Amino acid sequence: MGDMSELQQRELNLQGMGTSLLRKEDARFIRGQGSYVDDIKLPGMLFGAVVRSPYAHARIKSIDKSKALAAPGVVAVLTADDLKPVNLHWMPTLGGDVQAVLADKKVCFQMQEVAMVLGTDRYAAADGAALVEVDYEELPAIVDPKKSMDLDAVVIREDIADKTEVGHGPRTHPNHIFTWEAGDKAAADAAFASAEITVREEILNPRVHPCPLETCGCVASFNKATGYLTVYMTTQAPHLVRTVLAMLSGVAESKIRVVGGDIGGGFGNKVPVYPGYVVAIVASIVTGVPVKWIESRIDNISTTGFARDYHGVGELAADSQGRIKGLRFTALADHGAFNSHVSATKLPAGLFSICTGSYAIPNAYCRVDAVYTNKAPGGVAYRCSLRVTEAVYLIERMIDILALKLGIDKAEIRRRNFVKTEDFPYTTSLGWTLDSGNYEPALDKVLKACDYEGLRREQAARRADPNSETLMGIGLATFTEIVGAGPTKVCDILGIGLFDSCEIRVHPTGGVIARLGTMTQGQGHATTYAQIIATELGLPASDIVVEEGDTDKAPYGAGTWGSRSTPVSGAATAMAARKIKDKAKKIAAHLLEVAEGDLEWEIDRFKVKGNPSAAKTMKEICMVSHTSNIPAGMEQGLNAVSYYDPPNMTYPFGTYLCVVDVDKFTGVVHVRRFYALDDCGTRINPMVIEGQIHGGLTEAFAVAMGQQIPFDENGNHLGNSLMDYFLPTAMETPHWETDHTVTPCPHHPIGAKGVAESPHVGGIPCFSNAVIDAFSHLGVTHMDMPHNAWRVWKQCHALGIDKRP
Amino acid sequence: MANNHTVSFKLNGKPVDVSVEPRELLIHTLRERLAHTGPHIGCETSHCGACTVDLDGMSVKSCTVLTVQCDGSEMVTIEGLEQAGVLHALQQAFHEEHGLQCGYCTPGMITRAWRLLQENPDPSEQEIRYGIAGNLCRCTGYQNIVKAVQSAAKKLAAAKAASAAPAAAAAAEEATPAQQPVTA
């Protein structure tokens, strides 16, 4: 037995799992030395500017390039006609559909890509783009998805009008994309037929946008001499993109290098392949020089992957005690003009079927109908975990509505329906097996921390006071996430399973380089993966370098989205490290001349049991592994790679509580308090988790309180710039209180679950429930988001409570 | 480019001459001609502040300034805050308080906070939030940024007090270890 303080010191030196290790990434970012895509400058590089459609729906009669080509600094103007010879005027999407790269014959949404002008710099390219003359014939636009499948609805997608399916089963209308369902409809219907109480509500998740501070862009560089294509780009999934580029271009995948570099936030916006990337790549292949394309903020909000736009209908059936007996959720999904919905092939509505939430609901059925409209494509983005935002919003709103109908307290009704701790792993009636959970203690902890009883008493007193100028609302959300896509039997994209990977190489002197198939966009992977390795191998995190994003170097993986990095690559990291540790143990046994079974691991070394002075540190083993002094038949080196196919998803959970005060006369909502408890199992770096929570809650605040991408009846985008699109500053953003419990994931190598999207997923219903709760004593069961002052004032006005006495 | 103008200014203490069209935005001159790619572009409506630099003692959004307007001026960018290999207290504090994630808003945010703490060396939380309201961040939810500015303000005040009282300076130096540069 060693001295305890010495052991603690050795453990501390590692800065491994569980420590709030300061971030390795910061060193370059605080000095302005990050390397983001627009920082890249290559010899001869041209700049591409996109000509975009002013109409939501129109035929293109002709395109006149002549004036643009005559402008100084303009090198070329590319249109669909230039892409046709290489068959790239259309591209496949992750949703099984195709998307126009440059519009051919017609445009289907406003701001759609019509041409790209190549200039010697961005000013010349912009000048050229303004001089391209396009002759349009306007067509009627479909903006309301409820009108998409009208008998007389205009056909948006003439290119696939005669196709009976576009990737996900039969289509019943030219504007119908798919219908997907889960659960036992007959059983759910029977539960409703015999229920004591049923509630029903129409609940919209409005279209919003992830709006990362850095927009999308790339530098494509095709070397004509070698036939080798390098693309620096804002991508969350560089390996999948490389595969897609190989399929599209015919260039061998070994001759395509995609580099993620530093990415200024992704938030799901940077998973899909956008037309801008494809045109820049084609332009580089055609011209033989590098081509940079960087979109503007307005381009980004208007044309890249939006989030949500689910027109939901929720129904719950229950007994008089509020115990839920049945659930029927449907959603009309507005996917825009092309189905570029990011999801596993077999899951066209993502993981929406997690919508039974944290509750034991015996009978459930859900259905999603997706339709085309004259809007930009997208749907899955913005910390949604593949439609979990929509699922959690529906169940958390509906359980409030049920509580209201029965006169049961909103915390109490949740408690009555929770999946019990002892019932995990728990298989829901929609088929997901929740790994672990401890919901009731988490709820109790939050209620106590916020003095829930006291808050309800204060609210009752406020409601009893006729002179009160404000309404008080208390919002609760007790959510269950599903993250870590995913088991390859269920989850693939383009046929490629959603495993992920880690390759670890240990150097003779104990330095480590580790590369992964994921791609950070600020979540701190370079720090936290190093912490996993540090603890597994007993080598300090400071000597472990982590790299992602360069497809020539990193092992194949599906990228970072859906909070999948910790569940999948985090697992691969531990597994690869354990392979190294197994080999190191063999070397230690050889050196110490004992059997492997005689060794025990102590922080950073193998010790002989009962003989503590006989030990070999991992650092010593690193050097020996590169010599001839290793067991007979063993290869030199100390390296391993792991490709991890997860057995299940991870299911983190949380309890959030929000208190708001609503000004009756202006509709302004003030967030008085927001308390967020998250349980993501084993915590790798508490500091980094807290930062993820703060960011996600701020997004949730923005979505619930002000964000929206509306369209007018002609399909014009409204509010598609920061003039209107609500991004809170430090002034509007509430102060966050965070808390946690630890319920490890039993199937994960280190017990860790994903977490980064939880605050957005759980935060939105919590804010929304708080605002609506403020009106619940006045007979209001639901108000659609966003809860901005005008919309909340309209509710006050409708109730006649906005008049000053 | 017959229409080009030669503009001279001081960038992080060093004289610079550039030849630009009158329409060229300062952010593009900094990033594309002068290889100062720390300041970033996050919007085109002057809201986000990712491009914030310090121009003649003011925080300015360099996407909203023409380079030809800068003749004779003194400019500081994120690249100029580290002195002789020692990080500025704000850079150190953003690291220690986890005031950044993707790092895209960070150069503008720190450059703004640098001026804020000269305008108001002892700001309240509300004054900090108001003082950085021209700078948007998508990752942090601002809370750790506020903590970083508070932490830096304290350190700067302590350093100032120490330098004002030489006797106390030695004691302060003894009490706090020398600032280490942040490395990966």
Side-chain angles (χ1 to χ4, degrees), chain B residues 2-41:
Chain B
N3 200 18
N4 275 16
H5 294 243
T6 298
V7 183
S8 304
F9 51 86
K10 259 192 180 173
L11 177 59
N12 297 322
K14 291 186 186 133
V16 162
D17 297 313
V18 287
S19 174
V20 296
E21 283 186 67
R23 65 173 172 170
E24 185 160 308
L25 299 174
L26 176 58
I27 184 66
H28 290 137
T29 303
L30 289 171
R31 290 179 48 81
E32 298 187 5
R33 293 186 195 278
L34 301 171
H36 280 51
T37 54
H40 293 135
I41 300 169

mmCIF file of all heavy atoms in Angstrom, chain B residues 2-41:
data_model
loop_
_atom_site.group_PDB
_atom_site.id
_atom_site.type_symbol
_atom_site.label_atom_id
_atom_site.label_comp_id
_atom_site.label_asym_id
_atom_site.label_seq_id
_atom_site.Cartn_x
_atom_site.Cartn_y
_atom_site.Cartn_z
ATOM 1 N N ALA B 2 -6.933 51.416 -60.344
ATOM 2 C CA ALA B 2 -6.603 52.850 -60.380
ATOM 3 C C ALA B 2 -7.233 53.594 -59.222
ATOM 4 O O ALA B 2 -6.755 54.639 -58.809
ATOM 5 C CB ALA B 2 -7.083 53.449 -61.698
ATOM 6 N N ASN B 3 -8.299 53.019 -58.701
ATOM 7 C CA ASN B 3 -9.059 53.708 -57.661
ATOM 8 C C ASN B 3 -8.507 53.444 -56.259
ATOM 9 O O ASN B 3 -9.110 53.833 -55.278
ATOM 10 C CB ASN B 3 -10.517 53.245 -57.756
ATOM 11 C CG ASN B 3 -11.442 54.213 -57.089
ATOM 12 O OD1 ASN B 3 -11.085 55.362 -56.841
ATOM 13 N ND2 ASN B 3 -12.635 53.742 -56.764
ATOM 14 N N ASN B 4 -7.384 52.743 -56.185
ATOM 15 C CA ASN B 4 -6.873 52.387 -54.860
ATOM 16 C C ASN B 4 -6.273 53.572 -54.106
ATOM 17 O O ASN B 4 -5.751 54.498 -54.710
ATOM 18 C CB ASN B 4 -5.808 51.296 -54.985
ATOM 19 C CG ASN B 4 -6.431 49.912 -55.032
ATOM 20 O OD1 ASN B 4 -7.637 49.789 -55.260
ATOM 21 N ND2 ASN B 4 -5.641 48.890 -54.833
ATOM 22 N N HIS B 5 -6.388 53.487 -52.806
ATOM 23 C CA HIS B 5 -5.823 54.514 -51.929
ATOM 24 C C HIS B 5 -4.836 53.849 -50.991
ATOM 25 O O HIS B 5 -5.089 52.745 -50.520
ATOM 26 C CB HIS B 5 -6.922 55.168 -51.078
ATOM 27 C CG HIS B 5 -7.903 55.948 -51.867
ATOM 28 N ND1 HIS B 5 -8.072 57.294 -51.727
ATOM 29 C CD2 HIS B 5 -8.756 55.554 -52.843
ATOM 30 C CE1 HIS B 5 -9.004 57.707 -52.563
ATOM 31 N NE2 HIS B 5 -9.434 56.670 -53.257
ATOM 32 N N THR B 6 -3.747 54.552 -50.700
ATOM 33 C CA THR B 6 -2.812 54.024 -49.710
ATOM 34 C C THR B 6 -3.219 54.540 -48.330
ATOM 35 O O THR B 6 -3.469 55.733 -48.155
ATOM 36 C CB THR B 6 -1.371 54.440 -50.029
ATOM 37 O OG1 THR B 6 -1.041 53.885 -51.299
ATOM 38 C CG2 THR B 6 -0.402 53.905 -48.971
ATOM 39 N N VAL B 7 -3.331 53.611 -47.407
ATOM 40 C CA VAL B 7 -3.769 53.953 -46.051
ATOM 41 C C VAL B 7 -2.674 53.489 -45.084
ATOM 42 O O VAL B 7 -2.168 52.373 -45.211
ATOM 43 C CB VAL B 7 -5.101 53.254 -45.709
ATOM 44 C CG1 VAL B 7 -5.591 53.672 -44.335
ATOM 45 C CG2 VAL B 7 -6.149 53.546 -46.770
ATOM 46 N N SER B 8 -2.339 54.355 -44.142
ATOM 47 C CA SER B 8 -1.305 54.011 -43.156
ATOM 48 C C SER B 8 -1.899 54.059 -41.755
ATOM 49 O O SER B 8 -2.609 55.012 -41.417
ATOM 50 C CB SER B 8 -0.140 55.006 -43.238
ATOM 51 O OG SER B 8 0.361 55.033 -44.558
ATOM 52 N N PHE B 9 -1.653 53.038 -40.992
ATOM 53 C CA PHE B 9 -2.093 53.068 -39.588
ATOM 54 C C PHE B 9 -1.171 52.185 -38.768
ATOM 55 O O PHE B 9 -0.275 51.520 -39.319
ATOM 56 C CB PHE B 9 -3.549 52.635 -39.426
ATOM 57 C CG PHE B 9 -3.922 51.335 -40.085
ATOM 58 C CD1 PHE B 9 -3.743 50.132 -39.425
ATOM 59 C CD2 PHE B 9 -4.492 51.329 -41.366
ATOM 60 C CE1 PHE B 9 -4.109 48.940 -40.034
ATOM 61 C CE2 PHE B 9 -4.853 50.131 -41.974
ATOM 62 C CZ PHE B 9 -4.662 48.933 -41.308
ATOM 63 N N LYS B 10 -1.356 52.240 -37.447
ATOM 64 C CA LYS B 10 -0.566 51.400 -36.551
ATOM 65 C C LYS B 10 -1.416 50.222 -36.121
ATOM 66 O O LYS B 10 -2.501 50.405 -35.575
ATOM 67 C CB LYS B 10 -0.116 52.201 -35.330
ATOM 68 C CG LYS B 10 1.323 52.656 -35.430
ATOM 69 C CD LYS B 10 1.818 53.175 -34.089
ATOM 70 C CE LYS B 10 3.261 53.621 -34.231
ATOM 71 N NZ LYS B 10 3.723 54.289 -33.017
ATOM 72 N N LEU B 11 -0.916 49.026 -36.381
ATOM 73 C CA LEU B 11 -1.656 47.821 -36.013
ATOM 74 C C LEU B 11 -0.851 47.093 -34.939
ATOM 75 O O LEU B 11 0.258 46.622 -35.208
ATOM 76 C CB LEU B 11 -1.849 46.942 -37.257
ATOM 77 C CG LEU B 11 -2.540 45.596 -37.043
ATOM 78 C CD1 LEU B 11 -3.931 45.769 -36.446
ATOM 79 C CD2 LEU B 11 -2.635 44.840 -38.375
ATOM 80 N N ASN B 12 -1.427 47.022 -33.752
ATOM 81 C CA ASN B 12 -0.746 46.394 -32.615
ATOM 82 C C ASN B 12 0.673 46.945 -32.448
ATOM 83 O O ASN B 12 1.627 46.202 -32.227
ATOM 84 C CB ASN B 12 -0.747 44.863 -32.776
ATOM 85 C CG ASN B 12 -2.159 44.312 -32.777
ATOM 86 O OD1 ASN B 12 -3.019 44.788 -32.033
ATOM 87 N ND2 ASN B 12 -2.425 43.326 -33.626
ATOM 88 N N GLY B 13 0.760 48.248 -32.605
ATOM 89 C CA GLY B 13 2.024 48.931 -32.359
ATOM 90 C C GLY B 13 2.963 49.002 -33.557
ATOM 91 O O GLY B 13 3.977 49.688 -33.483
ATOM 92 N N LYS B 14 2.620 48.331 -34.640
ATOM 93 C CA LYS B 14 3.531 48.332 -35.791
ATOM 94 C C LYS B 14 2.930 49.116 -36.955
ATOM 95 O O LYS B 14 1.743 48.958 -37.257
ATOM 96 C CB LYS B 14 3.800 46.891 -36.243
ATOM 97 C CG LYS B 14 4.629 46.107 -35.259
ATOM 98 C CD LYS B 14 4.990 44.734 -35.807
ATOM 99 C CE LYS B 14 5.704 43.919 -34.741
ATOM 100 N NZ LYS B 14 5.177 42.560 -34.619
ATOM 101 N N PRO B 15 3.744 49.937 -37.635
ATOM 102 C CA PRO B 15 3.205 50.697 -38.760
ATOM 103 C C PRO B 15 2.880 49.790 -39.955
ATOM 104 O O PRO B 15 3.606 48.837 -40.228
ATOM 105 C CB PRO B 15 4.347 51.666 -39.104
ATOM 106 C CG PRO B 15 5.562 51.095 -38.484
ATOM 107 C CD PRO B 15 5.150 50.216 -37.356
ATOM 108 N N VAL B 16 1.765 50.103 -40.592
ATOM 109 C CA VAL B 16 1.273 49.294 -41.708
ATOM 110 C C VAL B 16 0.839 50.230 -42.826
ATOM 111 O O VAL B 16 0.225 51.266 -42.561
ATOM 112 C CB VAL B 16 0.055 48.455 -41.229
ATOM 113 C CG1 VAL B 16 -0.758 47.950 -42.396
ATOM 114 C CG2 VAL B 16 0.486 47.310 -40.340
ATOM 115 N N ASP B 17 1.168 49.895 -44.069
ATOM 116 C CA ASP B 17 0.633 50.612 -45.230
ATOM 117 C C ASP B 17 -0.121 49.607 -46.083
ATOM 118 O O ASP B 17 0.408 48.539 -46.383
ATOM 119 C CB ASP B 17 1.761 51.198 -46.094
ATOM 120 C CG ASP B 17 2.582 52.223 -45.350
ATOM 121 O OD1 ASP B 17 1.977 53.104 -44.716
ATOM 122 O OD2 ASP B 17 3.829 52.109 -45.382
ATOM 123 N N VAL B 18 -1.348 49.960 -46.457
ATOM 124 C CA VAL B 18 -2.097 49.089 -47.369
ATOM 125 C C VAL B 18 -2.678 49.916 -48.495
ATOM 126 O O VAL B 18 -2.974 51.105 -48.330
ATOM 127 C CB VAL B 18 -3.253 48.325 -46.670
ATOM 128 C CG1 VAL B 18 -2.731 47.225 -45.783
ATOM 129 C CG2 VAL B 18 -4.150 49.278 -45.893
ATOM 130 N N SER B 19 -2.867 49.259 -49.631
ATOM 131 C CA SER B 19 -3.467 49.922 -50.790
ATOM 132 C C SER B 19 -4.807 49.252 -51.039
ATOM 133 O O SER B 19 -4.864 48.054 -51.329
ATOM 134 C CB SER B 19 -2.545 49.749 -51.994
ATOM 135 O OG SER B 19 -3.190 50.258 -53.141
ATOM 136 N N VAL B 20 -5.879 50.021 -50.837
ATOM 137 C CA VAL B 20 -7.226 49.414 -50.905
ATOM 138 C C VAL B 20 -8.180 50.285 -51.720
ATOM 139 O O VAL B 20 -7.998 51.499 -51.843
ATOM 140 C CB VAL B 20 -7.836 49.231 -49.491
ATOM 141 C CG1 VAL B 20 -7.029 48.248 -48.666
ATOM 142 C CG2 VAL B 20 -7.970 50.565 -48.777
ATOM 143 N N GLU B 21 -9.210 49.608 -52.247
ATOM 144 C CA GLU B 21 -10.326 50.345 -52.841
ATOM 145 C C GLU B 21 -11.082 51.046 -51.716
ATOM 146 O O GLU B 21 -11.112 50.545 -50.593
ATOM 147 C CB GLU B 21 -11.299 49.380 -53.530
ATOM 148 C CG GLU B 21 -10.836 48.855 -54.864
ATOM 149 C CD GLU B 21 -11.946 48.020 -55.516
ATOM 150 O OE1 GLU B 21 -12.985 48.604 -55.874
ATOM 151 O OE2 GLU B 21 -11.768 46.804 -55.642
ATOM 152 N N PRO B 22 -11.731 52.168 -52.033
ATOM 153 C CA PRO B 22 -12.460 52.882 -50.972
ATOM 154 C C PRO B 22 -13.550 52.024 -50.327
ATOM 155 O O PRO B 22 -13.879 52.223 -49.164
ATOM 156 C CB PRO B 22 -13.090 54.074 -51.709
ATOM 157 C CG PRO B 22 -12.263 54.253 -52.930
ATOM 158 C CD PRO B 22 -11.741 52.900 -53.304
ATOM 159 N N ARG B 23 -14.075 51.061 -51.063
ATOM 160 C CA ARG B 23 -15.199 50.274 -50.516
ATOM 161 C C ARG B 23 -14.740 49.148 -49.605
ATOM 162 O O ARG B 23 -15.566 48.447 -49.030
ATOM 163 C CB ARG B 23 -16.041 49.700 -51.648
ATOM 164 C CG ARG B 23 -15.306 48.679 -52.506
ATOM 165 C CD ARG B 23 -16.274 48.040 -53.477
ATOM 166 N NE ARG B 23 -15.594 47.183 -54.446
ATOM 167 C CZ ARG B 23 -16.260 46.379 -55.271
ATOM 168 N NH1 ARG B 23 -17.576 46.345 -55.257
ATOM 169 N NH2 ARG B 23 -15.610 45.629 -56.133
ATOM 170 N N GLU B 24 -13.453 48.927 -49.482
ATOM 171 C CA GLU B 24 -13.008 47.752 -48.719
ATOM 172 C C GLU B 24 -13.255 47.934 -47.218
ATOM 173 O O GLU B 24 -12.867 48.943 -46.620
ATOM 174 C CB GLU B 24 -11.532 47.468 -48.979
ATOM 175 C CG GLU B 24 -11.081 46.172 -48.289
ATOM 176 C CD GLU B 24 -9.808 45.594 -48.888
ATOM 177 O OE1 GLU B 24 -9.752 45.410 -50.119
ATOM 178 O OE2 GLU B 24 -8.861 45.330 -48.119
ATOM 179 N N LEU B 25 -13.881 46.922 -46.635
ATOM 180 C CA LEU B 25 -14.173 46.959 -45.201
ATOM 181 C C LEU B 25 -12.912 46.633 -44.406
ATOM 182 O O LEU B 25 -12.098 45.801 -44.818
ATOM 183 C CB LEU B 25 -15.270 45.946 -44.857
ATOM 184 C CG LEU B 25 -16.621 46.167 -45.554
ATOM 185 C CD1 LEU B 25 -17.575 45.009 -45.241
ATOM 186 C CD2 LEU B 25 -17.250 47.488 -45.116
ATOM 187 N N LEU B 26 -12.789 47.268 -43.256
ATOM 188 C CA LEU B 26 -11.606 47.063 -42.419
ATOM 189 C C LEU B 26 -11.409 45.587 -42.073
ATOM 190 O O LEU B 26 -10.279 45.085 -42.070
ATOM 191 C CB LEU B 26 -11.722 47.911 -41.140
ATOM 192 C CG LEU B 26 -10.601 47.736 -40.114
ATOM 193 C CD1 LEU B 26 -9.235 48.064 -40.719
ATOM 194 C CD2 LEU B 26 -10.873 48.612 -38.888
ATOM 195 N N ILE B 27 -12.502 44.877 -41.797
ATOM 196 C CA ILE B 27 -12.358 43.470 -41.416
ATOM 197 C C ILE B 27 -11.679 42.674 -42.533
ATOM 198 O O ILE B 27 -10.857 41.793 -42.271
ATOM 199 C CB ILE B 27 -13.739 42.848 -41.027
ATOM 200 C CG1 ILE B 27 -13.583 41.402 -40.538
ATOM 201 C CG2 ILE B 27 -14.736 42.869 -42.179
ATOM 202 C CD1 ILE B 27 -12.832 41.238 -39.259
ATOM 203 N N HIS B 28 -12.005 42.983 -43.778
ATOM 204 C CA HIS B 28 -11.377 42.267 -44.890
ATOM 205 C C HIS B 28 -9.911 42.658 -45.048
ATOM 206 O O HIS B 28 -9.068 41.816 -45.371
ATOM 207 C CB HIS B 28 -12.149 42.514 -46.189
ATOM 208 C CG HIS B 28 -13.487 41.845 -46.209
ATOM 209 N ND1 HIS B 28 -14.631 42.471 -46.678
ATOM 210 C CD2 HIS B 28 -13.879 40.612 -45.791
ATOM 211 C CE1 HIS B 28 -15.655 41.641 -46.558
ATOM 212 N NE2 HIS B 28 -15.233 40.522 -46.019
ATOM 213 N N THR B 29 -9.612 43.922 -44.826
ATOM 214 C CA THR B 29 -8.206 44.344 -44.900
ATOM 215 C C THR B 29 -7.385 43.622 -43.836
ATOM 216 O O THR B 29 -6.308 43.099 -44.116
ATOM 217 C CB THR B 29 -8.097 45.868 -44.698
ATOM 218 O OG1 THR B 29 -8.894 46.506 -45.689
ATOM 219 C CG2 THR B 29 -6.652 46.334 -44.815
ATOM 220 N N LEU B 30 -7.912 43.587 -42.635
ATOM 221 C CA LEU B 30 -7.193 42.916 -41.548
ATOM 222 C C LEU B 30 -7.006 41.436 -41.854
ATOM 223 O O LEU B 30 -5.903 40.899 -41.732
ATOM 224 C CB LEU B 30 -7.964 43.069 -40.229
ATOM 225 C CG LEU B 30 -7.974 44.456 -39.600
ATOM 226 C CD1 LEU B 30 -8.959 44.495 -38.432
ATOM 227 C CD2 LEU B 30 -6.568 44.844 -39.127
ATOM 228 N N ARG B 31 -8.085 40.792 -42.258
ATOM 229 C CA ARG B 31 -8.050 39.336 -42.424
ATOM 230 C C ARG B 31 -7.314 38.915 -43.695
ATOM 231 O O ARG B 31 -6.547 37.960 -43.694
ATOM 232 C CB ARG B 31 -9.470 38.763 -42.439
ATOM 233 C CG ARG B 31 -10.177 38.826 -41.073
ATOM 234 C CD ARG B 31 -11.602 38.271 -41.152
ATOM 235 N NE ARG B 31 -11.613 36.983 -41.835
ATOM 236 C CZ ARG B 31 -11.297 35.830 -41.255
ATOM 237 N NH1 ARG B 31 -11.005 35.794 -39.965
ATOM 238 N NH2 ARG B 31 -11.300 34.707 -41.951
ATOM 239 N N GLU B 32 -7.592 39.609 -44.790
ATOM 240 C CA GLU B 32 -7.136 39.096 -46.075
ATOM 241 C C GLU B 32 -5.836 39.738 -46.563
ATOM 242 O O GLU B 32 -5.086 39.110 -47.292
ATOM 243 C CB GLU B 32 -8.258 39.227 -47.100
ATOM 244 C CG GLU B 32 -9.444 38.387 -46.643
ATOM 245 C CD GLU B 32 -10.576 38.265 -47.630
ATOM 246 O OE1 GLU B 32 -10.434 38.760 -48.751
ATOM 247 O OE2 GLU B 32 -11.595 37.668 -47.251
ATOM 248 N N ARG B 33 -5.591 40.973 -46.156
ATOM 249 C CA ARG B 33 -4.331 41.601 -46.593
ATOM 250 C C ARG B 33 -3.263 41.518 -45.510
ATOM 251 O O ARG B 33 -2.086 41.415 -45.818
ATOM 252 C CB ARG B 33 -4.556 43.078 -46.937
ATOM 253 C CG ARG B 33 -5.429 43.284 -48.138
ATOM 254 C CD ARG B 33 -5.515 44.754 -48.528
ATOM 255 N NE ARG B 33 -6.617 44.937 -49.451
ATOM 256 C CZ ARG B 33 -6.525 44.695 -50.769
ATOM 257 N NH1 ARG B 33 -5.386 44.324 -51.289
ATOM 258 N NH2 ARG B 33 -7.584 44.847 -51.550
ATOM 259 N N LEU B 34 -3.674 41.607 -44.250
ATOM 260 C CA LEU B 34 -2.695 41.720 -43.167
ATOM 261 C C LEU B 34 -2.576 40.439 -42.338
ATOM 262 O O LEU B 34 -1.884 40.419 -41.321
ATOM 263 C CB LEU B 34 -3.047 42.916 -42.273
ATOM 264 C CG LEU B 34 -3.088 44.258 -43.044
ATOM 265 C CD1 LEU B 34 -3.644 45.378 -42.165
ATOM 266 C CD2 LEU B 34 -1.700 44.619 -43.560
ATOM 267 N N ALA B 35 -3.277 39.379 -42.761
ATOM 268 C CA ALA B 35 -3.167 38.055 -42.124
ATOM 269 C C ALA B 35 -3.494 38.092 -40.635
ATOM 270 O O ALA B 35 -3.006 37.269 -39.871
ATOM 271 C CB ALA B 35 -1.780 37.462 -42.349
ATOM 272 N N HIS B 36 -4.304 39.048 -40.225
ATOM 273 C CA HIS B 36 -4.818 39.049 -38.852
ATOM 274 C C HIS B 36 -6.197 38.389 -38.900
ATOM 275 O O HIS B 36 -7.219 39.064 -39.003
ATOM 276 C CB HIS B 36 -4.903 40.476 -38.301
ATOM 277 C CG HIS B 36 -3.583 41.003 -37.831
ATOM 278 N ND1 HIS B 36 -2.444 40.965 -38.608
ATOM 279 C CD2 HIS B 36 -3.205 41.560 -36.644
ATOM 280 C CE1 HIS B 36 -1.433 41.482 -37.929
ATOM 281 N NE2 HIS B 36 -1.862 41.837 -36.738
ATOM 282 N N THR B 37 -6.205 37.055 -38.810
ATOM 283 C CA THR B 37 -7.476 36.330 -38.989
ATOM 284 C C THR B 37 -8.143 36.031 -37.645
ATOM 285 O O THR B 37 -9.093 35.263 -37.599
ATOM 286 C CB THR B 37 -7.247 35.014 -39.759
ATOM 287 O OG1 THR B 37 -6.227 34.272 -39.085
ATOM 288 C CG2 THR B 37 -6.811 35.293 -41.189
ATOM 289 N N GLY B 38 -7.666 36.646 -36.576
ATOM 290 C CA GLY B 38 -8.352 36.489 -35.289
ATOM 291 C C GLY B 38 -9.755 37.084 -35.321
ATOM 292 O O GLY B 38 -10.739 36.386 -35.034
ATOM 293 N N PRO B 39 -9.898 38.360 -35.673
ATOM 294 C CA PRO B 39 -11.248 38.926 -35.791
ATOM 295 C C PRO B 39 -12.041 38.178 -36.867
ATOM 296 O O PRO B 39 -11.494 37.847 -37.915
ATOM 297 C CB PRO B 39 -10.992 40.384 -36.207
ATOM 298 C CG PRO B 39 -9.567 40.654 -35.837
ATOM 299 C CD PRO B 39 -8.850 39.347 -35.954
ATOM 300 N N HIS B 40 -13.313 37.919 -36.582
ATOM 301 C CA HIS B 40 -14.122 37.086 -37.479
ATOM 302 C C HIS B 40 -15.326 37.839 -38.030
ATOM 303 O O HIS B 40 -15.627 38.949 -37.588
ATOM 304 C CB HIS B 40 -14.597 35.839 -36.719
ATOM 305 C CG HIS B 40 -13.494 34.904 -36.352
ATOM 306 N ND1 HIS B 40 -13.384 34.333 -35.104
ATOM 307 C CD2 HIS B 40 -12.437 34.459 -37.060
ATOM 308 C CE1 HIS B 40 -12.312 33.553 -35.069
ATOM 309 N NE2 HIS B 40 -11.712 33.626 -36.233
ATOM 310 N N ILE B 41 -16.015 37.180 -38.961
ATOM 311 C CA ILE B 41 -17.246 37.741 -39.531
ATOM 312 C C ILE B 41 -18.390 36.799 -39.175
ATOM 313 O O ILE B 41 -18.345 35.613 -39.497
ATOM 314 C CB ILE B 41 -17.139 37.870 -41.060
ATOM 315 C CG1 ILE B 41 -15.970 38.787 -41.428
ATOM 316 C CG2 ILE B 41 -18.453 38.394 -41.641
ATOM 317 C CD1 ILE B 41 -15.619 38.768 -42.907
#
